[in-house]
Amino acid sequence: MSMFYDALETRAPAEREAALMAALPRQIAHAQQASPAFAGILAGVDAATITSRAALARLPVTRKHELLERQQAGRADNVFGGFATIGFGAAMPRVFCSPGPLYEPEGPRRDYWRMARALYAAGFRAGELAHNSFSYHFVPAGSMMETGAHALGCTVFPGGTGQTEQQVQAMAELRPAGYIGTPSFLKIILDKAHEQGIALPSVTKALVSGEAFPPSLRDWLAARGVQGYQCYGTADLGLIGYETTAREGLVLDEGVIVEIVRPGTGDPLPEGEVGELVVTTLNPDYPLIRFGTGDLSAVLPGQCPTGRTNTRIKGWMGRADQTTKVRGMFVHPGQIASVVKRFPQVQRARLVVSGEMADDRMALRVEADPQEGLAARIADAVREVTKLRCEVELLPPGSLPNDGKVIEDVRSYR
């Protein structure tokens, strides 16, 4: 039995890139024609010319808060804010609601959220029973995993959340091959089973998501006979990346185009730099173009040792929206980025906000070769952009950590 879900996973990188770039202008044209929201966002864009990552990077980023704002503003006319290209009925079997509230459509295509690939990499196979403990209410998580498992040929027990003792009983009696859900809930279930003296030997694998999956918990599960693998996705985009047996980052899904950009901007970062994940999906029903997830990650060098050839990312590394309030004024990562753009000699910058409540202080730490008057000019630019005074500290290149942070709030609120 193949260790790969399909031949797409082992394509030559150049072949994959050519296919994605060929699909990109068609998806942009479709979004402009069928999505009222993107007709406005991408007004004046010639879709036929967007055939490279450089061209894609010139398009605006639509971030999650903007998606919510557009939905809220246009809800009386279109509950999806004009982003969806399908409406209620056979074309949309389900609609979901994430916190916000944000409404997300689900179309009728097999494996609509593309989760089968992640489940296969975690070891799930046709003919097995999967115990799905993701929520089936409001949010799409339960359906995302169930439709992927069905596409593999698995039977699904819709366990949902809570009712730990009943979850243990169902596992003991139905004997599923694996678990799908958050890693912390799997630990709760296994702890409860141990407390009750109930063995669950059939559960030997797990696909987990929705929260951090530290190595300590992965090892704890393995010591109890469960090999856990994680995946990363969102309710807007479906699957973005998935873990393999190599356990070296997450391999990107075949149905998305992923960029890592400097937080607060749409500017792509080089391989290895931590920034915000911006994703373009090829889903025609909800054609999000350069959608800013608000999550931080970085591209890993090289290819997965398993033979999968797609790009790998480090996984979830925090949130990109580091907006903070200083002396009653909001300071955004995009403002810091606009300051940095004025000074080509600046390689990286981080704004550190310190002090105590009602005594805020800002210091911009900047990687740049020392030049006479540079710190003062940068301080003037910060004041012009943010309307706030700021100290500037020049540091040698490579001094700041590569963690994607543009604004660090270290104030004490005791």
Side-chain angles (χ1 to χ4, degrees):
M1 185 176 292
S2 173
M3 67 179 295
F4 305 114
Y5 178 64
D6 58 24
L8 297 179
E9 294 182 356
T10 56
R11 288 183 288 180
E15 179 186 350
R16 176 182 294 105
E17 187 71 0
L20 290 175
M21 293 304 108
L24 181 57
R26 296 195 297 268
Q27 180 73 335
I28 291 171
H30 170 67
Q32 290 173 313
Q33 295 162 9
S35 161
F38 275 109
I41 293 170
L42 301 178
V45 172
D46 182 356
T49 66
I50 312 301
T51 57
S52 68
R53 289 180 182 267
L56 177 63
R58 292 194 290 268
L59 302 183
V61 173
T62 299
R63 292 189 162 82
K64 195 152 190 149
H65 70 89
E66 296 172 288
L67 182 65
L68 175 60
E69 289 164 4
R70 282 178 174 266
Q71 277 203 9
Q72 290 174 331
R75 199 148 279 167
D77 301 315
N78 185 313
V79 73
F80 300 105
F83 286 93
T85 64
I86 55 175
F88 297 147
M92 190 188 300
R94 298 184 185 89
V95 59
F96 295 101
C97 178
S98 294
L102 270 169
Y103 294 102
E104 297 105 3
E106 180 182 273
R109 287 192 309 280
R110 178 179 178 268
D111 192 21
Y112 182 80
W113 307 92
R114 308 180 313 284
M115 283 294 172
R117 190 177 304 281
L119 286 160
Y120 194 92
F124 288 82
R125 296 293 183 268
E128 294 181 334
L129 173 64
H131 187 108
N132 185 9
S133 281
F134 273 117
S135 175
Y136 278 79
H137 301 91
F138 277 80
V139 297
S143 184
M144 291 170 82
M145 294 299 182
E146 180 171 287
T147 52
H150 284 167
L152 285 184
C154 294
T155 298
V156 176
F157 176 75
T161 58
Q163 300 175 299
T164 308
E165 292 187 3
Q166 290 94 322
Q167 304 268 5
V168 171
Q169 181 181 1
M171 282 186 172
E173 295 177 350
L174 290 171
R175 298 185 293 280
Y179 164 94
I180 304 169
T182 62
S184 61
F185 192 47
L186 177 55
K187 183 178 186 301
I188 289 170
I189 291 173
L190 294 178
D191 279 338
K192 176 60 71 173
H194 178 73
E195 175 189 314
Q196 295 179 323
I198 298 175
L200 301 175
S202 70
V203 182
T204 59
K205 53 201 167 196
L207 180 65
V208 300
S209 192
E211 61 188 25
F213 186 43
S216 58
L217 181 51
R218 180 194 67 200
D219 295 344
W220 187 94
L221 294 175
R224 287 150 183 82
V226 182
Q227 295 298 319
Y229 297 90
Q230 60 184 316
C231 70
Y232 166 60
T234 75
D236 320 278
L237 300 160
L239 181 66
I240 297 172
Y242 60 97
E243 192 174 24
T244 72
T245 54
R247 298 195 184 280
E248 294 184 9
L250 305 181
V251 178
L252 293 182
D253 179 54
E254 300 291 330
V256 291
I257 300 170
V258 172
E259 305 167 86
I260 305 291
V261 308
R262 193 175 304 282
T265 76
D267 303 334
L269 290 170
E271 181 182 285
E273 286 286 309
V274 177
E276 181 184 8
L277 275 159
V278 169
V279 182
T280 297
T281 174
L282 300 181
N283 179 0
D285 303 338
Y286 205 44
L288 298 178
I289 309 297
R290 296 205 87 199
F291 180 70
T293 64
D295 292 330
L296 294 174
S297 193
V299 171
L300 287 171
Q303 294 178 358
C304 181
T306 64
R308 293 172 174 86
T309 57
N310 207 344
T311 301
R312 296 175 300 159
I313 58 174
K314 287 187 177 180
W316 187 83
M317 299 177 67
R319 291 293 294 168
D321 185 7
Q322 300 152 30
T323 298
T324 191
K325 185 178 279 190
V326 181
R327 297 175 219 149
M329 302 280 288
F330 281 108
V331 181
H332 307 272
Q335 292 175 307
I336 306 306
S338 70
V339 169
V340 170
K341 283 183 178 180
R342 299 185 185 190
F343 302 93
Q345 59 271 61
V346 173
Q347 298 178 19
R348 189 181 291 157
R350 172 177 298 197
L351 183 72
V352 179
V353 183
S354 61
E356 298 179 358
M357 190 171 289
D359 184 27
D360 300 329
R361 294 187 295 275
M362 296 198 320
L364 187 66
R365 296 176 179 170
V366 173
E367 288 185 6
D369 293 326
Q371 298 177 16
E372 186 176 351
L374 177 60
R377 294 198 303 274
I378 294 173
D380 289 341
V382 172
R383 187 172 183 183
E384 179 186 335
V385 171
T386 68
K387 314 306 179 190
L388 296 165
R389 285 189 175 88
C390 177
E391 296 179 3
V392 174
E393 180 183 356
L394 299 182
L395 303 172
S399 299
L400 293 172
N402 179 27
D403 57 8
K405 280 190 178 180
V406 177
I407 299 176
E408 183 178 10
D409 192 340
V410 296
R411 286 173 289 191
S412 171
Y413 294 101
R414 291 194 302 269

